[in-house]
Amino acid sequence: MMQTIQGIAVSRGIAIGRAVPLGREPIRVRHYLVAPAQVEQEVARLQQGFALAVQQLRQVQQMLTGDDASSELAALLDVHLMLLDDASLLTAASENVRQRRYNAEWALVLQLEQLSREFDAMDDGYLRERKSDIEQLVERVLRCMRGEAAAMGDVLSQPQPDATGAAEVQGPGGELQNLPLIIVARDLAPTDMLQFRQKVFAGFVVDTGGSASHTAIVARSMDIPAVVGAKQASARIRRDDCLIVHADAGLVIVNPDAPTLAHYTRLQQALEVRRQRQQLLLHTPAVTRDGETIELLANVELPSDCPAALAAGAQGIGLFRSEFLFMDRHGQLPDEEEQFQAYRQAVEAMQGRTVTIRTVDIGADKPLSRTEQRHGDEQSALGLRAIRWSLAEPQMFRAQLRGILRAAAHGPVNVLFPMLAQLSEIRQALEQLEMARAELRATGLAFGDLQVGAMIEVPAAALMIDQFLRHFDFVSIGTNDLTQYTLAVDRADESVAHLFDGTHPAVLQLIALVIRQGLAHGKKVCLCGEMAGDTRLTRLLLGLGLRSFSMHPAQLLAVKEQILQSDAKALRNWAEGVLRSEEPLQLIEGEGAELI
């Protein structure tokens, strides 16, 4: 019987194939007390389990091939290795053995439960997703202590598709069909993802995770259809079930009937034809039919992401999220030299194209390590984060600014300050930048000139845009946070996710205001949130006057295709009508936009 499962859309495309369940049920451990004389022996078992887990991960690292998707996996493996190298997890588990005389497995699981509660209390969605990293590491250590094979063994040992990526199975009507494989799992570890790449897998369906989970990150980098947060999918889907994974919609269809399968097969074929057509646009300038030149930039997290941006035709980096250099460091912040080397690597990789580096967006709701996290009401999206945290830590802030300024000596660089809301914050941030310049002059280190910009991601900044534009060379609209703060909807809270709407009239009015005032002042306005890569909104943003988009590299060509088909002048009146509408989305998705 056909059934549908709704999850979270994190990549694009359609996969049709047969289900290959990956059993990752939590390991059940025995609970018993050890004799006093056996305590150190149990601690030694823990230490050996951790050592073997590190050895396994390092062996996996050696399998990486150096392509773009491998760089994503390498970063995730580095995080796992850092967590294993961090003595706090092993030390806490060892104390459970020594003080309570718990057996090693019980002691480790007990510490996992404590850490899980701490991660669940975090406001920041990205960091909450990191709980799964800890769970996977504990599972790996437990398996090492037991001498068991990796969780992937059962999947990789089964019959695999032929060279065309298909395996002969019974279709929904009983006929034999050749279908590629689709992994269905409760959760996926980075090492699992690496092993998937060595086989032929068409897509992924995962019970857990969100848009910031490692599965989502790698799926986007590999451009593979994936749906995460599909609760109970692994329990509802059986081996060899026929699956349709509609990644753009976050939809999984199990055992589709013949008409549904035929419909999605045609849609899949049409999407593939469209992708091939888009690839032909790689070297075509992004110019509208009426001659408006549009800037298409890429969002990146690490210097290793830059080659993918270039391969997608990005004209530069519109958002380098520098906080990824600071996370999971266990309190050891990257110093000026380390940051300079990372920024320089990105600048040189972009071969003369501008790199816009956002200063660290981290704080009370994004603890630098789990041992530093706050609890209760202190941990808030309205707390000490982004520019507030930077201004509260001026030594750290100036070290970052010096690293950025030094990188600007190697190519064009912009600096971008996040979450500004007060004129006092603007003045302080600019003063810190001048102090960083003076410190570099005093040391004789080379540095370059740069453009200075502000993120517009709180309503106060949008409403004060005239004053902001007097102080900055450009502004960049962060639609993710702007939507969150305008609608008072925590974008990391699944219970109110249905209320998070970037096309809400209030959000669109603020975006339009910023673009309009930017044009009036002759200052560039870029849009770097998720809306920039949403092709449903490309024509609306063009009609509102936006001329600079920054997005994930995988979205660039699809947005360029929309731009090439659009007449920006003709879209103006329609866009104004959308702003006046009580139901903007109906007009955006209606036939009116398609006819322009």
Side-chain angles (χ1 to χ4, degrees), residues 168 174 220 227 239 262 301 427 461 488:
E168 197 172 73
R220 283 192 291 267
V227 173
R239 185 178 299 276
E301 282 79 43
R427 295 189 185 103

Side-chain angles (χ1 to χ4, degrees), residues 58 75 112 295 316 318 362 403 482 530 559 572:
R58 295 205 183 282
L112 171 63
E295 184 179 47
I362 203 166
L482 184 61
E530 288 298 313
V559 170
R572 290 176 188 169

Side-chain angles (χ1 to χ4, degrees), residues 352-431:
R353 298 165 180 83
T354 300
V355 176
T356 299
I357 302 171
R358 182 176 68 185
T359 60
V360 60
D361 186 1
I362 203 166
D365 68 330
K366 294 181 180 179
L368 296 172
S369 71
R370 61 177 181 270
T371 58
E372 295 179 358
Q373 75 157 38
R374 298 186 176 192
H375 299 278
D377 294 336
E378 289 183 293
Q379 192 181 49
S380 167
L382 304 177
L384 189 67
R385 58 165 293 195
I387 196 64
R388 301 171 182 175
W389 185 70
S390 293
L391 293 175
E393 299 287 345
Q395 296 297 326
M396 176 281 299
F397 191 31
R398 286 204 304 280
Q400 178 171 38
L401 293 174
R402 290 193 301 270
I404 294 172
L405 284 164
R406 290 173 61 190
H410 297 268
V413 171
N414 296 337
V415 65
L416 188 59
F417 296 126
M419 204 182 167
L420 290 164
Q422 315 276 351
L423 282 175
S424 61
E425 292 172 337
I426 294 174
R427 295 189 185 103
Q428 291 176 64
L430 295 176
E431 287 170 1

Side-chain angles (χ1 to χ4, degrees), residues 69 72-73 76 190 193-194 197 204 213-224:
E72 297 276 3
L73 288 163
L76 293 169
M193 302 290 283
L194 175 62
R197 295 174 63 247
F204 309 100
S213 66
H214 51 243
T215 308
I217 294 169
V218 176
R220 283 192 291 267
S221 72
M222 295 168 66
D223 205 12
I224 292 178

Side-chain angles (χ1 to χ4, degrees), residues 149-169:
M152 281 296 297
D154 58 337
V155 173
L156 297 177
S157 63
Q158 68 175 308
Q160 296 296 326
D162 58 26
T164 65
E168 197 172 73
V169 298

Side-chain angles (χ1 to χ4, degrees), residues 48 110 261 337 459 474:
Q48 291 167 2
L110 184 69
L261 183 59
E337 184 64 24
F474 69 98

